[in-house]
Amino acid sequence: MTKSALDAWFAANRVAILADYYSLLRFPSIGGDPAHLPDCVACAEWVCAFLRPLGFTAELVRGDGSKPPLVLAERPADASGRTVLLYGHYDVQPVDPVDLWETPPFEPAERDGRVHARGAQDDKGQWFALLQGLRAAIENGERLPAIRIVLEGQEESGSGFLAEQALDLRRRLAADVLLVADTGKDASGRPAIVAGLRGVIHFTVTLRGPKYDLHSGQHGGLAPNPAQGIAELVASLHNPDGSIAVKGFCDNIVDPTEAEFALATERGFDENAYRDEVGVFPVGGERGVPAIVRNSFRPTVEVNGIHGGYGGPGSKTVIPTHAFAKLSCRLVPDQSPAHVWQCLKAHFEEHCPRGLTVELTEVTGNEPGFRLPIDSPVTRIAQDVLREVDPRGAVFTWEGASIPIVARLRDVTGAAPLLVGFGMQEDRIHCPNESFSLDQFQDAFRWGGLIFPALA
Ligand code: BES
Ligand code: MN
Ligand code: MN
């Protein structure tokens, strides 16, 4: 199908496409919150019902029913050829702080050409738009590869269930190409083929002190303070130049090849555009290392939240019993999550402030970072298709973010990953007022309409 034929199909079907998109967005499928398990199941069932008329056999994989199910679907090839496995996630991030939403997070609302809702982009909008493109190709009688689909409900909380099931499901997931619909364009809006993702490991570190909250006058100067301690512990993670101070953490890091470095840096990094969009200059991380390199090819240790003691109105003179910080680390090849974890544990024990005890809990993630070849047959097909989607053609990017299950899916299925998505910074994923523009939606639709036939 040509791009203009696809666009005509989109225009003719626009009302129905958006109605289905809105139905999908209305499910509050917050996969990390057990209270929303029934919503996740209902959402996954809705997706199966959506896929069946497209010629898929589709079912839920439920395990013992305690976690959000997988959607597993398959459509036979029109002729013998490649098998494509599409991966995406139907779970979404929590919506808090909910009062910052201009319209309720699960009541999709269009404003200025953008659909606002939790999941409008990440990730429901991305794979749903792509599947609409596939629908157009099917209705137009295009020759298609065998297509398998796996949509999980725990990507935003570590992909535990899919990681657990992947080996058992390997025959049903086996494919030549692993098409991932969960990434972004480049900062200027050009389509991007993602050639690397960072891995992730996250955990909670708690410092415990006095048995009960103490009067800060009666005990000040006597009792060690966990809130002060957590600040010191967090501060100990970095050197004054912004580099990571955890011994051994950065062992085995593989620097980008010359070709990767050249492609990653050739477009430069627009610091003012970054500041205009997010409100701060890109001065985080290690001094003297270019912004792109810090984000794409270097690991990080970030504090996601730090809590302890009194936070209410006015003052309360108290030494709290405990304080904690939630941390996440981004990993690059070849940092092994297990080794990194050993280094972190040793660091926290060594730096635990005197008189307090340190506790590490809620350790999740544990997936490595990876890079992909930039000159494979599959990337060449993708480049040709993306030139049709956008005449400027595609660039390669190395994302700082993570999609924890991709490396494992690649290893289990033997498929070559192809990561193309249409997200932009202004979509504000994970943030109140997440949105996806209908232009981005339509680009994802065109990509879906063109890439499946191209992979047949
Ligand atoms: N879709 C994102 C990852 C992403 C964002 C890729 C932007 C490319 C550009 C994914 O849903 C995500 O948020 N991943 C989490 C995983 C974590 C919760 C284990 C992340 O990176 O923090
Ligand atoms: Mn996502
Ligand atoms: Mn996400």
Side-chain angles (χ1 to χ4, degrees), residues 389-404:
V389 172
D390 185 323
R392 291 174 296 178
V395 298
F396 286 100
T397 57
W398 287 264
E399 284 283 0
S402 312
I403 308 174

Side-chain angles (χ1 to χ4, degrees), residues 231-377:
E232 289 170 10
L233 199 54
V234 164
S236 75
L237 293 165
H238 294 91
N239 297 312
D241 68 355
S243 61
I244 294 168
V246 179
K247 258 190 249 124
F249 188 95
C250 293
D251 288 355
N252 308 321
I253 289 177
V254 179
D255 285 330
T257 64
E258 262 175 52
E260 286 170 335
F261 182 85
L263 282 171
T265 52
E266 73 185 355
R267 282 159 285 125
F269 189 97
D270 188 338
E271 307 212 340
N272 292 313
Y274 183 85
R275 199 274 315 267
D276 291 347
E277 175 54 38
V278 308
V280 285
F281 279 109
V283 296
E286 195 175 347
R287 250 46 103 233
V289 179
I292 296 262
V293 173
R294 296 196 314 266
N295 189 239
S296 295
F297 301 116
R298 303 286 301 168
T300 61
V301 179
E302 292 288 345
V303 194
N304 304 128
I306 182 162
H307 305 264
Y310 186 63
S315 66
K316 184 181 184 212
T317 49
V318 70
I319 296 175
T321 56
H322 70 285
F324 65 96
K326 297 211 164 229
L327 293 144
S328 60
C329 304
R330 300 290 165 167
L331 310 179
V332 300
D334 273 336
Q335 282 180 298
S336 106
H339 171 74
V340 159
W341 183 237
Q342 290 312 318
C343 298
L344 286 163
K345 273 206 320 216
H347 182 94
F348 288 121
E349 270 149 34
E350 191 184 322
H351 289 80
C352 178
R354 210 151 71 97
L356 303 175
T357 54
V358 65
E359 213 176 272
L360 296 167
T361 53
E362 296 187 295
V363 191
T364 41
N366 286 322
E367 298 290 342
F370 63 87
R371 290 189 201 129
L372 300 169
I374 48 186
D375 55 357
S376 69

Side-chain angles (χ1 to χ4, degrees), residues 122 155-156 430:
D122 186 14
E155 194 276 342
E156 303 289 12
H430 296 202

Side-chain angles (χ1 to χ4, degrees), residues 18 29 35 98 151 154 157 170 181 198 200 202 221 234 240 258 282 302 331 339 344 365 416 452:
L18 292 182
S29 49
V98 73
L151 300 173
Q154 279 191 314
S157 50
R170 65 187 178 280
R198 292 196 287 190
V200 64
H202 40 128
V234 164
E258 262 175 52
E302 292 288 345
L331 310 179
H339 171 74
L344 286 163
F452 286 106

Side-chain angles (χ1 to χ4, degrees), residues 443-456:
D443 272 347
F445 161 83
R446 293 174 182 133
W447 163 247
L450 296 169
I451 189 63
F452 286 106
L455 289 171

